[in-house]
């Protein structure tokens, strides 16, 4: 495994790996912010199984954090991350500094409209502009054939797919299923922030999504019914503070008429939530209804 901290090093490593594959190896790419866990590992293994060369990036991107968010305290563990990357089939790790990625303040924004107007796009203003910019830069630098993203960040998948289509990036976006703890909590680098009591109550997020799945199967149910039931369940965890709970079409992220009966045999829906425990904000989601394409949660 080759560790690259600069763009020239990355280019050199890609060239070197390509020469091992007679110059025509396929490149899989897994962009992350590090502090890797089994969710990231599942993406790395998928990339390794589908490509000749797998590249992992580890970069905590300041452009996607708001002024009062956790950029400075975002967890980091370089040594452990490198070990995990090596164990999961990664050939090249690109771990640039902020200065390497942004030698000067960028004046270009990558703004994707509509799919960013609700959920995390609404509660974290500017977040997806930062994501769009860094993923565009990384796509140009790595030039992958396939890029792997977790459905844990389902809105991010929708945004990146739209951006890729709109800007003709020659890359296939591969959505990958959410990896969970045995009790259902979606794995996240931010789970380390939780106190024991918060961790115990955080299980209510996945539990409420599983419960909603049962209700969703009932005839005549509306989006408003499901959102209300889900909110009530989350509120039963006394340390939980709801940021949003929304049921939307996926991947358009349009709002269905809240009072209209859902059409699960025809439409794909997402129930998405963001909940704070103290200063730790967790997200989770569940797709419902007709699941076309390559989506898994
Ligand atoms: P992050 O390091 O949080 O930016 O995540 C990097 C990639 O890993 C993103 O595509 C995430 O959606 C994905 N990811 C994070 N947590 C999980 C999880 N629990 N299951 C599957 N993918 C995940």
């Amino acid at each position: 495994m080759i560790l690259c901290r600069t763009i020239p090093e990355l280019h050199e490593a890609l060239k070197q790996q390509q020469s091992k594959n007679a110059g025509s190896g396929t490149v899989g790419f897994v962009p992350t912010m590090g502090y890797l866990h089994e969710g990231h590992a599942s993406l790395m293994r998928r990339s390794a199984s589908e490509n000749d060369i797998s590249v992992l990036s580890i970069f905590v991107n300041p452009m996607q954090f708001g002024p009062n968010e956790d950029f400075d305290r975002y967890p980091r563990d370089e040594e452990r991350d490198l070990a995990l990357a090596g164990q999961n089939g990664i050939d090249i790790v690109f771990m640039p500094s902020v200065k390497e990625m942004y030698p000067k303040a960028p004046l270009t924004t990558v703004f994707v409209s509509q799919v960013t107007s609700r959920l995390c796009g609404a509660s974290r203003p500017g977040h997806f502009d930062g994501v769009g910019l860094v993923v565009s830069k990384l796509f140009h630098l790595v030039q992958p054939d396939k890029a792997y993203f977790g459905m844990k960040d389902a809105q991010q998948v929708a945004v990146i797919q739209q951006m890729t289509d709109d800007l003709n990036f020659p890359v296939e976006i591969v959505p990958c299923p959410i990896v969970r703890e045995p009790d259902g909590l979606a794995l996240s680098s931010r789970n380390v922030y939780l106190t024991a009591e918060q961790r115990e109550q955080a299980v209510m997020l996945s539990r409420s999504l599983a419960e909603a799945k049962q209700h969703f199967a009932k005839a005549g149910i509306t989006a408003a019914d499901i959102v209300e039931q889900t909110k009530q369940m989350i509120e039963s965890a006394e340390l939980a503070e709801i940021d949003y709970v929304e049921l939307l079409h996926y991947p358009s992220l349009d709002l269905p008429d809240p009072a209209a009966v859902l059409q699960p045999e025809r439409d794909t829906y997402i129930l998405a939530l963001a909940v704070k425990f103290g200063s730790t904000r967790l997200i989770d989601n569940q797709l419902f209804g007709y699941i076309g394409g390559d989506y898994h949660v």
Side-chain angles (χ1 to χ4, degrees):
M1 194 175 76
I2 310 170
L3 170 61
C4 311
R5 294 190 188 270
T6 67
I7 292 166
E9 282 169 12
L10 171 67
H11 285 148
E12 188 51 41
L14 282 165
K15 222 191 285 171
Q16 197 183 317
Q17 290 292 310
Q18 283 291 12
S19 67
K20 284 193 197 163
N21 288 279
S24 62
T26 58
V27 176
F29 178 43
V30 181
T32 77
M33 298 202 299
Y35 210 71
L36 304 176
H37 50 63
E38 188 51 34
H40 300 112
S42 70
L43 271 53
M44 294 190 253
R45 287 193 296 270
R46 176 104 182 250
S47 173
S49 74
E50 294 182 355
N51 300 278
D52 299 313
I53 303 162
S54 281
V55 181
L56 171 80
S57 67
I58 298 177
F59 179 59
V60 185
N61 174 35
M63 303 293 291
Q64 69 189 69
F65 286 78
N68 299 316
E69 294 184 352
D70 57 345
F71 174 71
D72 288 326
R73 66 172 192 134
Y74 196 82
R76 293 162 166 88
D77 189 340
E78 226 179 272
E79 215 172 296
R80 210 178 121 257
D81 284 355
L82 291 176
L84 256 169
Q87 288 156 19
N88 287 282
I90 292 298
D91 302 295
I92 300 173
V93 179
F94 180 47
M95 204 188 291
S97 65
V98 172
K99 201 125 202 233
E100 185 70 12
M101 287 298 279
Y102 303 111
K104 55 187 180 179
L107 301 180
T108 305
T109 39
V110 180
F111 169 65
V112 180
S113 66
Q114 289 185 39
V115 279
T116 58
S117 67
R118 312 189 71 86
L119 310 179
C120 291
S123 71
R124 302 182 68 187
H127 169 68
F128 285 115
D129 299 351
V131 170
L133 181 62
V134 81
V135 173
S136 299
K137 285 166 75 81
L138 290 167
F139 279 0
H140 283 304
L141 294 172
V142 176
Q143 304 202 0
D145 296 283
K146 292 185 176 190
Y148 297 81
F149 291 87
M151 283 299 284
K152 160 90 183 339
D153 300 275
Q155 187 173 24
Q156 176 169 270
V157 170
V159 171
I160 298 296
Q161 184 66 69
Q162 183 74 40
M163 178 189 86
T164 299
D165 295 345
D166 290 347
L167 298 180
N168 298 97
F169 280 106
V171 55
E172 179 189 338
I173 305 303
V174 184
C176 300
I178 300 176
V179 178
R180 298 177 177 282
E181 296 283 6
D183 70 358
L185 179 69
L187 295 190
S188 164
S189 306
R190 290 188 168 98
N191 290 351
V192 291
Y193 298 148
L194 298 170
T195 65
E197 206 182 352
Q198 289 169 339
R199 169 65 186 85
E200 222 168 86
Q201 294 193 16
V203 73
M204 200 50 94
L205 273 53
S206 56
R207 212 175 273 168
S208 69
L209 292 173
E211 180 79 11
K213 201 170 183 180
Q214 305 297 321
H215 292 303
F216 189 78
K218 288 185 196 153
I221 197 119
T222 67
D225 295 333
I226 292 197
V227 167
E228 191 44 44
Q229 284 160 358
T230 307
K231 279 186 173 166
Q232 272 180 22
M233 228 178 130
I234 293 170
E235 279 161 0
S236 73
E238 57 183 18
L239 300 176
E241 189 195 321
I242 293 176
D243 179 353
Y244 63 71
V245 175
E246 289 195 77
L247 195 144
L248 304 173
H249 290 288
Y250 195 83
S252 68
L253 300 178
D254 290 336
L255 189 66
D257 176 351
V261 170
L262 299 175
Q263 308 275 342
E265 64 296 331
R266 191 191 68 188
D267 292 341
T268 309
Y269 301 95
I270 186 167
L271 179 59
L273 47 87
V275 176
K276 281 181 93 170
F277 288 88
S279 56
T280 305
R281 185 176 171 281
L282 302 180
I283 58 170
D284 201 348
N285 71 83
Q286 172 73 55
L287 290 197
F288 299 103
Y290 169 75
I291 314 283
D294 212 358
Y295 295 124
H296 302 281
V297 286

